[in-house]
PDB file of all heavy atoms in Angstrom:
ATOM      1  N   HIS G  72      71.186 114.975  41.297  1.00 96.00           N
ATOM      2  CA  HIS G  72      71.615 116.305  40.846  1.00 96.00           C
ATOM      3  C   HIS G  72      71.205 116.590  39.396  1.00 96.00           C
ATOM      4  O   HIS G  72      71.536 117.627  38.855  1.00 96.00           O
ATOM      5  CB  HIS G  72      73.135 116.431  40.964  1.00 96.00           C
ATOM      6  CG  HIS G  72      73.652 116.131  42.343  1.00 96.00           C
ATOM      7  ND1 HIS G  72      73.417 116.963  43.413  1.00 96.00           N
ATOM      8  CD2 HIS G  72      74.349 115.077  42.824  1.00 96.00           C
ATOM      9  CE1 HIS G  72      73.959 116.433  44.503  1.00 96.00           C
ATOM     10  NE2 HIS G  72      74.532 115.291  44.176  1.00 96.00           N
ATOM     11  N   VAL G  73      70.543 115.633  38.794  1.00 95.00           N
ATOM     12  CA  VAL G  73      70.279 115.719  37.356  1.00 95.00           C
ATOM     13  C   VAL G  73      68.802 115.975  37.076  1.00 95.00           C
ATOM     14  O   VAL G  73      67.930 115.358  37.687  1.00 95.00           O
ATOM     15  CB  VAL G  73      70.710 114.392  36.679  1.00 95.00           C
ATOM     16  CG1 VAL G  73      70.342 114.392  35.202  1.00 95.00           C
ATOM     17  CG2 VAL G  73      72.212 114.167  36.860  1.00 95.00           C
ATOM     18  N   ASN G  74      68.524 116.924  36.185  1.00 95.00           N
ATOM     19  CA  ASN G  74      67.141 117.147  35.754  1.00 95.00           C
ATOM     20  C   ASN G  74      66.816 116.330  34.514  1.00 95.00           C
ATOM     21  O   ASN G  74      65.803 115.669  34.444  1.00 95.00           O
ATOM     22  CB  ASN G  74      66.904 118.629  35.437  1.00 95.00           C
ATOM     23  CG  ASN G  74      66.961 119.484  36.680  1.00 95.00           C
ATOM     24  OD1 ASN G  74      66.589 119.048  37.766  1.00 95.00           O
ATOM     25  ND2 ASN G  74      67.437 120.703  36.528  1.00 95.00           N
ATOM     26  N   ARG G  75      67.694 116.430  33.525  1.00 94.00           N
ATOM     27  CA  ARG G  75      67.458 115.687  32.286  1.00 94.00           C
ATOM     28  C   ARG G  75      68.733 114.972  31.888  1.00 94.00           C
ATOM     29  O   ARG G  75      69.828 115.488  32.021  1.00 94.00           O
ATOM     30  CB  ARG G  75      67.009 116.617  31.157  1.00 94.00           C
ATOM     31  CG  ARG G  75      65.654 117.246  31.443  1.00 94.00           C
ATOM     32  CD  ARG G  75      65.072 117.835  30.195  1.00 94.00           C
ATOM     33  NE  ARG G  75      64.800 116.821  29.178  1.00 94.00           N
ATOM     34  CZ  ARG G  75      64.458 117.133  27.919  1.00 94.00           C
ATOM     35  NH1 ARG G  75      64.395 118.374  27.537  1.00 94.00           N
ATOM     36  NH2 ARG G  75      64.228 116.176  27.047  1.00 94.00           N
ATOM     37  N   LYS G  76      68.546 113.800  31.359  1.00 93.00           N
ATOM     38  CA  LYS G  76      69.680 112.978  30.975  1.00 93.00           C
ATOM     39  C   LYS G  76      70.422 113.609  29.791  1.00 93.00           C
ATOM     40  O   LYS G  76      69.816 113.971  28.786  1.00 93.00           O
ATOM     41  CB  LYS G  76      69.141 111.592  30.594  1.00 93.00           C
ATOM     42  CG  LYS G  76      70.186 110.588  30.265  1.00 93.00           C
ATOM     43  CD  LYS G  76      69.603 109.192  30.279  1.00 93.00           C
ATOM     44  CE  LYS G  76      68.299 109.090  29.479  1.00 93.00           C
ATOM     45  NZ  LYS G  76      67.640 107.793  29.662  1.00 93.00           N
ATOM     46  N   THR G  77      71.726 113.726  29.918  1.00 94.00           N
ATOM     47  CA  THR G  77      72.497 114.300  28.826  1.00 94.00           C
ATOM     48  C   THR G  77      73.937 113.805  28.859  1.00 94.00           C
ATOM     49  O   THR G  77      74.422 113.347  29.898  1.00 94.00           O
ATOM     50  CB  THR G  77      72.465 115.855  28.885  1.00 94.00           C
ATOM     51  OG1 THR G  77      73.203 116.384  27.802  1.00 94.00           O
ATOM     52  CG2 THR G  77      73.082 116.371  30.170  1.00 94.00           C
ATOM     53  N   ILE G  78      74.572 113.876  27.712  1.00 94.00           N
ATOM     54  CA  ILE G  78      76.012 113.642  27.648  1.00 94.00           C
ATOM     55  C   ILE G  78      76.631 114.907  27.092  1.00 94.00           C
ATOM     56  O   ILE G  78      76.361 115.286  25.955  1.00 94.00           O
ATOM     57  CB  ILE G  78      76.379 112.475  26.705  1.00 94.00           C
ATOM     58  CG1 ILE G  78      75.804 111.161  27.232  1.00 94.00           C
ATOM     59  CG2 ILE G  78      77.900 112.338  26.585  1.00 94.00           C
ATOM     60  CD1 ILE G  78      76.141 109.972  26.362  1.00 94.00           C
ATOM     61  N   SER G  79      77.435 115.573  27.910  1.00 97.00           N
ATOM     62  CA  SER G  79      78.084 116.790  27.455  1.00 97.00           C
ATOM     63  C   SER G  79      79.508 116.449  27.031  1.00 97.00           C
ATOM     64  O   SER G  79      80.232 115.770  27.747  1.00 97.00           O
ATOM     65  CB  SER G  79      78.086 117.807  28.596  1.00 97.00           C
ATOM     66  OG  SER G  79      78.787 118.962  28.209  1.00 97.00           O
ATOM     67  N   VAL G  80      79.870 116.912  25.832  1.00 97.00           N
ATOM     68  CA  VAL G  80      81.198 116.610  25.302  1.00 97.00           C
ATOM     69  C   VAL G  80      82.074 117.853  25.371  1.00 97.00           C
ATOM     70  O   VAL G  80      81.667 118.923  24.934  1.00 97.00           O
ATOM     71  CB  VAL G  80      81.108 116.143  23.832  1.00 97.00           C
ATOM     72  CG1 VAL G  80      82.497 115.828  23.278  1.00 97.00           C
ATOM     73  CG2 VAL G  80      80.217 114.915  23.717  1.00 97.00           C
ATOM     74  N   GLY G  81      83.247 117.725  25.948  1.00 97.00           N
ATOM     75  CA  GLY G  81      84.168 118.849  26.014  1.00 97.00           C
ATOM     76  C   GLY G  81      85.500 118.503  25.364  1.00 97.00           C
ATOM     77  O   GLY G  81      86.112 117.493  25.696  1.00 97.00           O
ATOM     78  N   VAL G  82      85.909 119.320  24.416  1.00 97.00           N
ATOM     79  CA  VAL G  82      87.232 119.153  23.822  1.00 97.00           C
ATOM     80  C   VAL G  82      88.124 120.230  24.425  1.00 97.00           C
ATOM     81  O   VAL G  82      87.813 121.411  24.340  1.00 97.00           O
ATOM     82  CB  VAL G  82      87.178 119.293  22.285  1.00 97.00           C
ATOM     83  CG1 VAL G  82      88.552 119.019  21.679  1.00 97.00           C
ATOM     84  CG2 VAL G  82      86.146 118.350  21.684  1.00 97.00           C
ATOM     85  N   LEU G  83      89.200 119.819  25.069  1.00 97.00           N
ATOM     86  CA  LEU G  83      90.043 120.769  25.780  1.00 97.00           C
ATOM     87  C   LEU G  83      91.092 121.379  24.846  1.00 97.00           C
ATOM     88  O   LEU G  83      91.638 120.697  23.982  1.00 97.00           O
ATOM     89  CB  LEU G  83      90.761 120.076  26.942  1.00 97.00           C
ATOM     90  CG  LEU G  83      89.901 119.214  27.877  1.00 97.00           C
ATOM     91  CD1 LEU G  83      90.678 118.861  29.131  1.00 97.00           C
ATOM     92  CD2 LEU G  83      88.604 119.891  28.231  1.00 97.00           C
ATOM     93  N   ARG G  84      91.330 122.655  25.044  1.00 96.00           N
ATOM     94  CA  ARG G  84      92.380 123.296  24.243  1.00 96.00           C
ATOM     95  C   ARG G  84      93.721 122.637  24.554  1.00 96.00           C
ATOM     96  O   ARG G  84      94.451 122.253  23.647  1.00 96.00           O
ATOM     97  CB  ARG G  84      92.436 124.794  24.557  1.00 96.00           C
ATOM     98  CG  ARG G  84      93.663 125.453  23.937  1.00 96.00           C
ATOM     99  CD  ARG G  84      93.608 126.939  24.032  1.00 96.00           C
ATOM    100  NE  ARG G  84      92.682 127.478  23.041  1.00 96.00           N
ATOM    101  CZ  ARG G  84      92.558 128.773  22.786  1.00 96.00           C
ATOM    102  NH1 ARG G  84      93.258 129.651  23.471  1.00 96.00           N
ATOM    103  NH2 ARG G  84      91.725 129.192  21.870  1.00 96.00           N
ATOM    104  N   ASN G  85      94.018 122.547  25.858  1.00 96.00           N
ATOM    105  CA  ASN G  85      95.227 121.838  26.272  1.00 96.00           C
ATOM    106  C   ASN G  85      94.836 120.711  27.208  1.00 96.00           C
ATOM    107  O   ASN G  85      93.962 120.878  28.055  1.00 96.00           O
ATOM    108  CB  ASN G  85      96.171 122.794  27.005  1.00 96.00           C
ATOM    109  CG  ASN G  85      96.623 123.920  26.107  1.00 96.00           C
ATOM    110  OD1 ASN G  85      97.139 123.689  25.013  1.00 96.00           O
ATOM    111  ND2 ASN G  85      96.387 125.144  26.553  1.00 96.00           N
ATOM    112  N   ALA G  86      95.498 119.587  27.036  1.00 96.00           N
ATOM    113  CA  ALA G  86      95.177 118.434  27.864  1.00 96.00           C
ATOM    114  C   ALA G  86      95.398 118.765  29.341  1.00 96.00           C
ATOM    115  O   ALA G  86      96.301 119.515  29.698  1.00 96.00           O
ATOM    116  CB  ALA G  86      96.024 117.243  27.453  1.00 96.00           C
ATOM    117  N   VAL G  87      94.540 118.208  30.192  1.00 97.00           N
ATOM    118  CA  VAL G  87      94.599 118.442  31.636  1.00 97.00           C
ATOM    119  C   VAL G  87      94.664 117.084  32.339  1.00 97.00           C
ATOM    120  O   VAL G  87      94.034 116.124  31.908  1.00 97.00           O
ATOM    121  CB  VAL G  87      93.348 119.239  32.086  1.00 97.00           C
ATOM    122  CG1 VAL G  87      93.162 119.187  33.589  1.00 97.00           C
ATOM    123  CG2 VAL G  87      93.434 120.673  31.607  1.00 97.00           C
ATOM    124  N   ASP G  88      95.427 117.026  33.435  1.00 97.00           N
ATOM    125  CA  ASP G  88      95.557 115.767  34.162  1.00 97.00           C
ATOM    126  C   ASP G  88      94.301 115.407  34.947  1.00 97.00           C
ATOM    127  O   ASP G  88      93.785 116.229  35.705  1.00 97.00           O
ATOM    128  CB  ASP G  88      96.736 115.842  35.142  1.00 97.00           C
ATOM    129  CG  ASP G  88      98.057 115.594  34.440  1.00 97.00           C
ATOM    130  OD1 ASP G  88      98.029 115.195  33.255  1.00 97.00           O
ATOM    131  OD2 ASP G  88      99.104 115.791  35.076  1.00 97.00           O
ATOM    132  N   PHE G  89      93.852 114.209  34.755  1.00 97.00           N
ATOM    133  CA  PHE G  89      92.776 113.630  35.560  1.00 97.00           C
ATOM    134  C   PHE G  89      93.348 112.386  36.225  1.00 97.00           C
ATOM    135  O   PHE G  89      94.236 111.733  35.674  1.00 97.00           O
ATOM    136  CB  PHE G  89      91.591 113.196  34.683  1.00 97.00           C
ATOM    137  CG  PHE G  89      90.614 114.298  34.362  1.00 97.00           C
ATOM    138  CD1 PHE G  89      90.960 115.336  33.514  1.00 97.00           C
ATOM    139  CD2 PHE G  89      89.331 114.280  34.904  1.00 97.00           C
ATOM    140  CE1 PHE G  89      90.059 116.348  33.220  1.00 97.00           C
ATOM    141  CE2 PHE G  89      88.411 115.279  34.608  1.00 97.00           C
ATOM    142  CZ  PHE G  89      88.768 116.319  33.771  1.00 97.00           C
ATOM    143  N   GLY G  90      92.816 112.052  37.379  1.00 95.00           N
ATOM    144  CA  GLY G  90      93.188 110.792  38.004  1.00 95.00           C
ATOM    145  C   GLY G  90      92.715 109.642  37.138  1.00 95.00           C
ATOM    146  O   GLY G  90      91.738 109.768  36.397  1.00 95.00           O
ATOM    147  N   VAL G  91      93.430 108.532  37.215  1.00 94.00           N
ATOM    148  CA  VAL G  91      93.032 107.358  36.439  1.00 94.00           C
ATOM    149  C   VAL G  91      92.000 106.561  37.238  1.00 94.00           C
ATOM    150  O   VAL G  91      92.167 106.328  38.432  1.00 94.00           O
ATOM    151  CB  VAL G  91      94.257 106.473  36.121  1.00 94.00           C
ATOM    152  CG1 VAL G  91      93.824 105.149  35.504  1.00 94.00           C
ATOM    153  CG2 VAL G  91      95.205 107.205  35.187  1.00 94.00           C
ATOM    154  N   MET G  92      90.967 106.158  36.569  1.00 93.00           N
ATOM    155  CA  MET G  92      89.910 105.409  37.228  1.00 93.00           C
ATOM    156  C   MET G  92      90.461 104.153  37.913  1.00 93.00           C
ATOM    157  O   MET G  92      91.163 103.372  37.290  1.00 93.00           O
ATOM    158  CB  MET G  92      88.845 105.014  36.203  1.00 93.00           C
ATOM    159  CG  MET G  92      87.565 104.487  36.832  1.00 93.00           C
ATOM    160  SD  MET G  92      86.362 103.987  35.591  1.00 93.00           S
ATOM    161  CE  MET G  92      85.810 105.572  34.966  1.00 93.00           C
ATOM    162  N   GLY G  93      90.158 104.029  39.191  1.00 89.00           N
ATOM    163  CA  GLY G  93      90.561 102.838  39.918  1.00 89.00           C
ATOM    164  C   GLY G  93      92.016 102.811  40.340  1.00 89.00           C
ATOM    165  O   GLY G  93      92.519 101.789  40.794  1.00 89.00           O
ATOM    166  N   ASP G  94      92.709 103.928  40.189  1.00 88.00           N
ATOM    167  CA  ASP G  94      94.130 103.930  40.504  1.00 88.00           C
ATOM    168  C   ASP G  94      94.527 105.296  41.039  1.00 88.00           C
ATOM    169  O   ASP G  94      94.661 106.252  40.296  1.00 88.00           O
ATOM    170  CB  ASP G  94      94.914 103.617  39.231  1.00 88.00           C
ATOM    171  CG  ASP G  94      96.387 103.399  39.517  1.00 88.00           C
ATOM    172  OD1 ASP G  94      96.869 103.850  40.577  1.00 88.00           O
ATOM    173  OD2 ASP G  94      97.053 102.770  38.677  1.00 88.00           O
TER     174      ASP G  94
END
Side-chain angles (χ1 to χ4, degrees):
Chain G
H72 305 291
V73 175
N74 292 327
R75 295 196 64 190
K76 184 164 49 188
T77 181
I78 296 181
S79 176
V80 180
V82 184
L83 311 193
R84 170 170 284 189
N85 298 306
V87 165
D88 279 351
F89 276 70
V91 171
M92 192 182 287
D94 188 340

